[in-house]
Structures are given as structure tokens and as C-alpha cells.
Amino acid sequence: MANYTQSIQNLMNELARLPGIGMRSAERIAFHLLKQNPEDALKLSDAIRDVKTRIKHCSTCYNLTEQDPCGICSDASRDQGLVCVVEQPKDLLSLEAAGLYRGVYHVLLGRISPLEDMEPGDLTIEPLMERLASGAIREVIMGTNPNIEGDGTALYIQSMIAGRFPNVQLTRLARGLPAGSNIEYANKNILADAISGRQKM
Ligand SMILES: [Zn+2]
């Protein structure tokens, strides 16, 4: 392969670090950008800069947001006493798309996973306990994924809440969700059923 100029090589190296993009794709994208007029090509760098400077985690629920608290936490028409605990912002978006849930959320930003070196302290469990300590929350719905690690995370949090806040009701999404599946990929009807048919833990 001929040597590219340093700036083209830099661009290709950065593109190749993205998930699912190998060196061949990186090369193709780099040359596509080179062919574009500057205005169009720079939209990509502007979009990356925007997302990295404007988007942050809500200080209450840890959802991704441009305003803090996020639109859901600051929505007075939603039930602020009902909290659904999910692993990732993507799961929250899937549940919101189902359109049935009127409570609020708490995003763990992961799950307990020894294989991925994720321990309870790496998740937003302690901030969840602080929210519960405020006394304004009467029910917590476990909305972690129905697989081994998601279930393990739900059980860990359940035991923490049961020990410290015995008056808080604990439920979990109904098992219309196939075992081993991901909330992110479940269809809207199944998610709506999972919320309305939630069960006591
Ligand atoms: Zn929020």
C-alpha cells in the first residue's frame, strides 16, 4: 500500500478505531470525506463535537441529556415516586418508545459483570440509594435485562433496597421478555406488557 499523507493516515487510524470499522472501510470513508466539499465533511466533526460537549448524564437518573435534570426527571406530569431501573440509556429509550410508562428512571450505566470487570461500585447504585433515602420513591421496578448478569444485578440491588428501605415496593418487568434477551431489541408490545404486568420480587 502506498503511503498516505500523515493527515489522511491519521483520519483512517481514527476511523478504524470505531466499532465494526476495519482498515478497508476506514480507507473508503476517508476518501469519501476527501471528495466531499468542506462544508459537508465538517458536519461530521461538528456533530461529534456537539455530542461530546453538550451531552451529559442527568445528575438524578443518569440518562443522557443536554439539560440537567433531564426532561423526564423535570416532567411534573410523570410519577416521580415510581422508578424503573435500567442498565443503559438505550434501554430507557426502548421503554419510552413503548409509550406506556409514566414513571421515571434510574440508569445504572452497566451491570454487574465479573467477566467485564464491572463491580457494584462501577454502577450508579449508590446514587439510587440516595434517591431512595429522600423518601419520595414508593416503588422500584427492576428493568435490567433478563439474562444472567441482568438478573444478578437486579438481585443485588433488590437485597440492598430491601435491607435499607423496607417500605419501598420492589417489582420487576413481567417475563413476556424472552429469557436471555435484551430490552434494547424487544418490540414495543412486549415491553408495554412487561411494564403493565410487572411482578413483585
Ligand atoms: Zn433524569
Side-chain angles (χ1 to χ4, degrees), residues 15 22 27-28 51 73 112 120 136 144 148 153-154 157 163 173 176 180 197:
L15 290 167
E27 187 177 28
R28 208 166 62 237
V51 89
C73 288
I112 300 169
T144 51
I148 292 173
T153 305
I157 296 172
L173 295 180

PDB file of all heavy atoms in Angstrom, residues 15 22 27-28 51 73 112 120 136 144 148 153-154 157 163 173 176 180 197:
ATOM      1  N   LEU A  15     -10.786   6.451  12.276  1.00  0.00           N
ATOM      2  CA  LEU A  15     -11.996   5.757  11.812  1.00  0.00           C
ATOM      3  C   LEU A  15     -11.916   4.264  12.123  1.00  0.00           C
ATOM      4  O   LEU A  15     -12.900   3.645  12.526  1.00  0.00           O
ATOM      5  CB  LEU A  15     -12.184   5.965  10.301  1.00  0.00           C
ATOM      6  CG  LEU A  15     -12.576   7.389   9.876  1.00  0.00           C
ATOM      7  CD1 LEU A  15     -12.429   7.545   8.361  1.00  0.00           C
ATOM      8  CD2 LEU A  15     -14.013   7.684  10.291  1.00  0.00           C
ATOM      9  N   GLY A  22     -13.184  -1.743   9.874  1.00  0.00           N
ATOM     10  CA  GLY A  22     -11.820  -2.220   9.652  1.00  0.00           C
ATOM     11  C   GLY A  22     -11.038  -1.219   8.824  1.00  0.00           C
ATOM     12  O   GLY A  22     -11.546  -0.162   8.452  1.00  0.00           O
ATOM     13  N   GLU A  27     -10.512   3.335   5.060  1.00  0.00           N
ATOM     14  CA  GLU A  27      -9.926   3.922   3.849  1.00  0.00           C
ATOM     15  C   GLU A  27     -11.036   4.470   2.944  1.00  0.00           C
ATOM     16  O   GLU A  27     -10.948   5.584   2.426  1.00  0.00           O
ATOM     17  CB  GLU A  27      -9.120   2.830   3.122  1.00  0.00           C
ATOM     18  CG  GLU A  27      -8.312   3.325   1.951  1.00  0.00           C
ATOM     19  CD  GLU A  27      -7.501   2.178   1.348  1.00  0.00           C
ATOM     20  OE1 GLU A  27      -7.929   1.003   1.447  1.00  0.00           O
ATOM     21  OE2 GLU A  27      -6.437   2.465   0.778  1.00  0.00           O
ATOM     22  N   ARG A  28     -12.099   3.671   2.797  1.00  0.00           N
ATOM     23  CA  ARG A  28     -13.206   4.084   1.925  1.00  0.00           C
ATOM     24  C   ARG A  28     -13.881   5.349   2.463  1.00  0.00           C
ATOM     25  O   ARG A  28     -14.176   6.286   1.724  1.00  0.00           O
ATOM     26  CB  ARG A  28     -14.220   2.939   1.804  1.00  0.00           C
ATOM     27  CG  ARG A  28     -14.970   2.951   0.512  1.00  0.00           C
ATOM     28  CD  ARG A  28     -15.705   1.653   0.262  1.00  0.00           C
ATOM     29  NE  ARG A  28     -16.716   1.383   1.267  1.00  0.00           N
ATOM     30  CZ  ARG A  28     -16.761   0.287   2.019  1.00  0.00           C
ATOM     31  NH1 ARG A  28     -15.835  -0.646   1.884  1.00  0.00           N
ATOM     32  NH2 ARG A  28     -17.709   0.125   2.911  1.00  0.00           N
ATOM     33  N   VAL A  51     -21.907  16.452  20.357  1.00  0.00           N
ATOM     34  CA  VAL A  51     -22.343  15.371  21.237  1.00  0.00           C
ATOM     35  C   VAL A  51     -21.405  15.260  22.438  1.00  0.00           C
ATOM     36  O   VAL A  51     -21.839  14.948  23.553  1.00  0.00           O
ATOM     37  CB  VAL A  51     -22.449  14.058  20.418  1.00  0.00           C
ATOM     38  CG1 VAL A  51     -21.166  13.277  20.389  1.00  0.00           C
ATOM     39  CG2 VAL A  51     -23.586  13.206  20.905  1.00  0.00           C
ATOM     40  N   CYS A  73     -36.971  13.638  34.326  1.00  0.00           N
ATOM     41  CA  CYS A  73     -36.916  13.950  35.763  1.00  0.00           C
ATOM     42  C   CYS A  73     -37.620  15.275  36.081  1.00  0.00           C
ATOM     43  O   CYS A  73     -38.111  15.461  37.191  1.00  0.00           O
ATOM     44  CB  CYS A  73     -35.469  14.020  36.241  1.00  0.00           C
ATOM     45  SG  CYS A  73     -34.676  12.411  36.329  1.00  0.00           S
ATOM     46  N   ILE A 112     -23.593  -5.649  36.789  1.00  0.00           N
ATOM     47  CA  ILE A 112     -22.516  -6.344  37.488  1.00  0.00           C
ATOM     48  C   ILE A 112     -22.049  -7.496  36.603  1.00  0.00           C
ATOM     49  O   ILE A 112     -22.837  -8.342  36.218  1.00  0.00           O
ATOM     50  CB  ILE A 112     -22.993  -6.866  38.853  1.00  0.00           C
ATOM     51  CG1 ILE A 112     -23.469  -5.699  39.724  1.00  0.00           C
ATOM     52  CG2 ILE A 112     -21.879  -7.642  39.547  1.00  0.00           C
ATOM     53  CD1 ILE A 112     -24.202  -6.115  40.994  1.00  0.00           C
ATOM     54  N   PRO A 120     -20.242  -3.651  41.578  1.00  0.00           N
ATOM     55  CA  PRO A 120     -21.333  -2.757  42.008  1.00  0.00           C
ATOM     56  C   PRO A 120     -20.898  -1.293  42.107  1.00  0.00           C
ATOM     57  O   PRO A 120     -21.654  -0.395  41.739  1.00  0.00           O
ATOM     58  CB  PRO A 120     -21.719  -3.326  43.371  1.00  0.00           C
ATOM     59  CG  PRO A 120     -21.390  -4.777  43.276  1.00  0.00           C
ATOM     60  CD  PRO A 120     -20.161  -4.860  42.418  1.00  0.00           C
ATOM     61  N   ALA A 136     -39.104   9.941  48.637  1.00  0.00           N
ATOM     62  CA  ALA A 136     -40.145  10.296  47.667  1.00  0.00           C
ATOM     63  C   ALA A 136     -40.498   9.137  46.736  1.00  0.00           C
ATOM     64  O   ALA A 136     -41.395   9.262  45.916  1.00  0.00           O
ATOM     65  CB  ALA A 136     -39.691  11.498  46.841  1.00  0.00           C
ATOM     66  N   THR A 144     -33.698  -4.480  34.487  1.00  0.00           N
ATOM     67  CA  THR A 144     -32.436  -4.971  33.914  1.00  0.00           C
ATOM     68  C   THR A 144     -32.759  -6.075  32.909  1.00  0.00           C
ATOM     69  O   THR A 144     -33.849  -6.628  32.908  1.00  0.00           O
ATOM     70  CB  THR A 144     -31.511  -5.520  35.022  1.00  0.00           C
ATOM     71  OG1 THR A 144     -32.251  -6.448  35.813  1.00  0.00           O
ATOM     72  CG2 THR A 144     -31.017  -4.396  35.911  1.00  0.00           C
ATOM     73  N   ILE A 148     -28.354 -13.666  32.640  1.00  0.00           N
ATOM     74  CA  ILE A 148     -27.710 -14.000  33.920  1.00  0.00           C
ATOM     75  C   ILE A 148     -27.165 -12.761  34.624  1.00  0.00           C
ATOM     76  O   ILE A 148     -27.413 -12.542  35.812  1.00  0.00           O
ATOM     77  CB  ILE A 148     -26.576 -15.031  33.695  1.00  0.00           C
ATOM     78  CG1 ILE A 148     -27.185 -16.372  33.280  1.00  0.00           C
ATOM     79  CG2 ILE A 148     -25.741 -15.205  34.960  1.00  0.00           C
ATOM     80  CD1 ILE A 148     -26.166 -17.408  32.869  1.00  0.00           C
ATOM     81  N   THR A 153     -27.660  -8.587  38.753  1.00  0.00           N
ATOM     82  CA  THR A 153     -27.628  -7.177  39.138  1.00  0.00           C
ATOM     83  C   THR A 153     -28.923  -6.798  39.848  1.00  0.00           C
ATOM     84  O   THR A 153     -28.902  -6.110  40.884  1.00  0.00           O
ATOM     85  CB  THR A 153     -27.433  -6.297  37.879  1.00  0.00           C
ATOM     86  OG1 THR A 153     -26.253  -6.740  37.191  1.00  0.00           O
ATOM     87  CG2 THR A 153     -27.294  -4.832  38.252  1.00  0.00           C
ATOM     88  N   ALA A 154     -30.061  -7.268  39.304  1.00  0.00           N
ATOM     89  CA  ALA A 154     -31.367  -6.967  39.915  1.00  0.00           C
ATOM     90  C   ALA A 154     -31.434  -7.531  41.334  1.00  0.00           C
ATOM     91  O   ALA A 154     -31.902  -6.855  42.260  1.00  0.00           O
ATOM     92  CB  ALA A 154     -32.492  -7.531  39.055  1.00  0.00           C
ATOM     93  N   ILE A 157     -29.299  -5.440  43.792  1.00  0.00           N
ATOM     94  CA  ILE A 157     -29.932  -4.162  44.139  1.00  0.00           C
ATOM     95  C   ILE A 157     -31.168  -4.400  45.007  1.00  0.00           C
ATOM     96  O   ILE A 157     -31.427  -3.666  45.959  1.00  0.00           O
ATOM     97  CB  ILE A 157     -30.285  -3.369  42.859  1.00  0.00           C
ATOM     98  CG1 ILE A 157     -28.997  -3.001  42.125  1.00  0.00           C
ATOM     99  CG2 ILE A 157     -31.090  -2.117  43.195  1.00  0.00           C
ATOM    100  CD1 ILE A 157     -29.223  -2.387  40.758  1.00  0.00           C
ATOM    101  N   GLY A 163     -32.956  -4.260  52.433  1.00  0.00           N
ATOM    102  CA  GLY A 163     -32.290  -4.091  53.719  1.00  0.00           C
ATOM    103  C   GLY A 163     -32.388  -2.671  54.257  1.00  0.00           C
ATOM    104  O   GLY A 163     -32.531  -2.457  55.463  1.00  0.00           O
ATOM    105  N   LEU A 173     -39.987  -6.283  35.676  1.00  0.00           N
ATOM    106  CA  LEU A 173     -40.739  -6.372  34.428  1.00  0.00           C
ATOM    107  C   LEU A 173     -41.238  -7.789  34.245  1.00  0.00           C
ATOM    108  O   LEU A 173     -40.550  -8.753  34.585  1.00  0.00           O
ATOM    109  CB  LEU A 173     -39.854  -5.978  33.239  1.00  0.00           C
ATOM    110  CG  LEU A 173     -39.375  -4.526  33.206  1.00  0.00           C
ATOM    111  CD1 LEU A 173     -38.508  -4.294  31.973  1.00  0.00           C
ATOM    112  CD2 LEU A 173     -40.544  -3.561  33.191  1.00  0.00           C
ATOM    113  N   GLY A 176     -42.696 -11.570  29.891  1.00  0.00           N
ATOM    114  CA  GLY A 176     -43.008 -11.712  28.477  1.00  0.00           C
ATOM    115  C   GLY A 176     -41.738 -11.551  27.679  1.00  0.00           C
ATOM    116  O   GLY A 176     -41.622 -11.989  26.546  1.00  0.00           O
ATOM    117  N   GLY A 180     -32.792 -14.374  28.526  1.00  0.00           N
ATOM    118  CA  GLY A 180     -31.542 -14.230  27.786  1.00  0.00           C
ATOM    119  C   GLY A 180     -31.579 -13.133  26.743  1.00  0.00           C
ATOM    120  O   GLY A 180     -30.627 -12.934  26.018  1.00  0.00           O
ATOM    121  N   GLY A 197     -47.620  -5.619  33.315  1.00  0.00           N
ATOM    122  CA  GLY A 197     -47.771  -6.881  34.043  1.00  0.00           C
ATOM    123  C   GLY A 197     -46.637  -7.131  35.020  1.00  0.00           C
ATOM    124  O   GLY A 197     -46.363  -8.279  35.364  1.00  0.00           O
TER     125      GLY A 197
END
